[in-house]
């Protein structure tokens, strides 16, 4: 097995040339206490993620969602960026990362200091009325729900990345929903893209444009199981843009990758940022460092890609 430090050298050889676009998934936020859907932390959940069709058509299912989400918001609201989020922000500040596309809805990239983050699936901290279109903050809605449910003190066993917590049906029965405070009757929905719902076309186009202008696509913490994220990997590979993947476990994009690293992101990314900060500061030009054994920026030593893993 290759040592972690050698893995970081391989990644540094790709990232050092700059022009990097990051595509992040739920695996980047697990170390902030937000479990993912498909990794080890997601295996024990009892219910499937809410779909847009069920949410809009079934009032009982919608009440169940808001009861569980009211519970789950406690976890999301107190989550803070972890070492992986902070490392991405450092790489952007060093001029190596040009942009971040995230599949996450937790807002932790921005909280860590990353700029111009495109939140592909929206942001859980915002709520929108499906009737009049007015948006409000989730904290405001949380307060209204707390006032409408003064006796609601249920505790769940797990929380999904979208803030939907596991909660017994008996605890849901007496939960009271609230409607839009602006139009009084509109259905409120978190401003995130549910399963079965389409990402706004303009947002998708912006992400494709970022990927197409990149020198490297760096995938962090995504299994790439759904096409919503995997399509960007496919597009990059089709254009000859190198892809690097850091994730715990195999992904559906591994076949497109020049290098894959199976290791904790909170371990790998700070090491990568430290390594590149040291060499770029020494050269005086962020993003302009070329490893001694590489002929061109971002080309792996020996001119070939590979797969490395932690022993």
């Amino acid at each position: 097995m290759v040592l972690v430090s050698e893995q970081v050298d391989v990644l540094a050889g790709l990232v050092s040339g700059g022009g990097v676009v990051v595509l992040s998934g739920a695996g980047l936020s697990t170390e902030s206490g937000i479990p993912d859907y498909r990794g080890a932390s997601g295996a024990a959940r009892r219910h499937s993620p809410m779909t847009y069709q069920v949410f809009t058509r079934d009032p009982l299912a919608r009440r169940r969602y808001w009861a569980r989400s009211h519970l789950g918001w406690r976890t999301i609201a107190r989550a803070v960026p972890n070492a992986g989020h902070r490392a991405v922000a450092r790489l952007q500040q060093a001029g190596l990362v040009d942009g971040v596309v995230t599949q996450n809805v937790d807002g932790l990239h921005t909280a860590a200091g990353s700029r111009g983050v495109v939140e592909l699936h929206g942001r859980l901290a915002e709520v929108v009325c499906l009737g009049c279109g007015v948006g409000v903050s989730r904290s405001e809605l949380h307060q209204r729900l707390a006032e409408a449910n003064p006796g609601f003190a249920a505790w769940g066993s797990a929380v999904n990345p979208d803030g939907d917590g596991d909660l017994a049906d008996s605890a849901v029965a007496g939960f009271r929903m609230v409607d839009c405070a602006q139009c009084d009757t509109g259905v409120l929905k978190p401003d995130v893209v549910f399963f079965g719902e389409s990402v706004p076309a303009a947002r998708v186009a912006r992400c494709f444009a970022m990927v197409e202008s990149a020198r490297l696509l760096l995938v962090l913490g995504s299994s790439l199981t759904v096409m919503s994220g995997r399509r960007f990997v496919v597009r990059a590979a089709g254009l000859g843009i190198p892809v690097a993947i850091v994730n715990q476990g195999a992904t559906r994009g591994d076949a497109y990758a020049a290098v894959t690293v199976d290791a904790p992101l909170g371990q790998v990314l700070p090491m990568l940022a430290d390594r590149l900060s040291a060499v770029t500061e020494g050269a005086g030009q962020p993003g302009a460092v070329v490893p001694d054994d590489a002929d061109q920026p971002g080309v792996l030593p020996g001119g070939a890609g590979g797969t490395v893993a932690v022993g």
Side-chain angles (χ1 to χ4, degrees), residues 44-110:
R45 275 182 292 283
R46 295 180 294 120
H47 67 272
S48 299
M50 175 60 69
T51 68
Y52 181 77
Q53 291 76 16
V54 171
F55 184 87
T56 54
R57 298 172 185 173
D58 187 343
L60 293 180
R62 191 159 59 245
R63 180 176 67 177
R64 185 166 57 249
Y65 171 84
W66 276 121
R68 298 190 313 208
S69 186
H70 183 57
L71 169 68
W73 176 246
R74 301 171 189 172
T75 296
I76 303 296
R78 66 172 175 255
V80 297
N82 61 51
H85 296 110
R86 295 193 296 270
V88 171
R90 288 173 57 196
L91 291 171
Q92 187 178 37
Q93 290 161 7
L96 297 170
V97 169
D98 288 347
V100 177
V101 175
T102 184
Q103 298 170 267
N104 300 337
V105 296
D106 50 41
L108 293 180
H109 272 299
T110 300

Side-chain angles (χ1 to χ4, degrees), residues 92 98-101 110 113-119 206 210:
Q92 187 178 37
D98 288 347
V100 177
V101 175
T110 300
S114 290
R115 304 179 306 278
V117 178
V118 179
E119 294 168 315
R206 182 181 175 189
M210 291 170 62

Side-chain angles (χ1 to χ4, degrees), residues 73-255:
W73 176 246
R74 301 171 189 172
T75 296
I76 303 296
R78 66 172 175 255
V80 297
N82 61 51
H85 296 110
R86 295 193 296 270
V88 171
R90 288 173 57 196
L91 291 171
Q92 187 178 37
Q93 290 161 7
L96 297 170
V97 169
D98 288 347
V100 177
V101 175
T102 184
Q103 298 170 267
N104 300 337
V105 296
D106 50 41
L108 293 180
H109 272 299
T110 300
S114 290
R115 304 179 306 278
V117 178
V118 179
E119 294 168 315
L120 184 65
H121 296 149
R123 190 169 186 178
L124 200 60
E126 303 295 331
V127 179
V128 64
C129 174
L130 296 182
C132 66
V134 168
V136 298
S137 72
R138 182 57 183 271
S139 58
E140 178 182 331
L141 176 63
H142 186 74
Q143 181 62 35
R144 290 184 62 206
L145 287 172
E147 292 171 356
N149 297 275
F152 187 75
W155 291 94
S157 58
V159 177
N160 287 337
D162 64 357
D164 185 5
D166 280 340
L167 190 62
D169 289 344
S170 58
V172 175
F175 188 83
R176 293 183 56 197
M177 294 190 297
V178 297
D179 292 323
C180 175
Q182 181 70 26
C183 66
D184 293 329
T185 58
V187 170
L188 294 174
K189 173 185 173 293
D191 197 11
V192 299
V193 178
F194 281 157
F195 283 80
E197 186 178 6
S198 297
V199 179
R203 192 180 302 165
V204 174
R206 182 181 175 189
C207 294
F208 271 126
M210 291 170 62
V211 171
E212 290 163 3
S213 65
R215 192 196 57 79
L216 170 71
L217 179 62
L218 178 59
V219 180
L220 304 176
S222 176
S223 65
L224 300 172
T225 300
V226 296
M227 185 54 73
S228 180
R230 190 167 73 252
R231 55 186 162 182
F232 301 117
V233 172
V234 174
R235 177 66 62 87
L239 294 173
I241 298 168
V243 176
I245 300 176
V246 183
N247 187 64
Q248 289 196 267
T251 82
R252 291 191 66 185
D254 287 354

Side-chain angles (χ1 to χ4, degrees), residues 278-296:
V279 294
T280 54
E281 288 172 4
Q285 289 185 332
V289 174
V290 182
D292 292 339
D293 51 359
D295 294 327
Q296 301 176 28

